[in-house]
Amino acid sequence: MSHEPGSPDCRLVIDAKRSLEDVLRVLDGMPHTDHIRRQLLSVYNQLEGMHDLKRAGGADVSFRSSDWCSAK
């Protein structure tokens, strides 16, 4: 990802996604890991959804609480 994050929440999600990308690259060269790669890709997509939510909600969305409630 080439852009700078707009908030600490975005930074956390971007870092998690980047870590999963690294793991997926490593597993790509290993046999019999299709099921693991599919599961990790699912987690990656969930993180992408969180990132989309943050982008759409801005300061009103915070991942720092357990219920992802509005910051208001």
Side-chain angles (χ1 to χ4, degrees):
M1 199 166 283
S2 61
H3 72 284
E4 288 297 316
S7 71
D9 281 339
C10 283
R11 175 84 264 153
L12 292 173
V13 174
I14 290 168
D15 288 347
K17 288 170 37 182
R18 188 170 292 134
S19 293
L20 283 173
E21 290 168 358
D22 291 343
V23 173
L24 286 164
R25 273 191 290 278
V26 170
L27 289 176
D28 193 44
M30 297 175 66
H32 312 294
T33 59
D34 291 346
H35 62 291
I36 296 170
R37 284 187 278 133
R38 281 192 302 271
Q39 290 174 350
L40 291 174
L41 189 55
S42 176
V43 172
Y44 181 93
N45 288 331
Q46 290 174 51
L47 289 169
E48 184 62 25
M50 289 171 62
H51 199 187
D52 289 342
L53 178 67
K54 179 64 180 175
R55 282 181 272 210
D60 289 338
V61 175
S62 175
F63 300 142
R64 305 235 179 233
S65 66
S66 61
D67 60 358
W68 299 357
C69 66
S70 170
K72 293 179 184 175

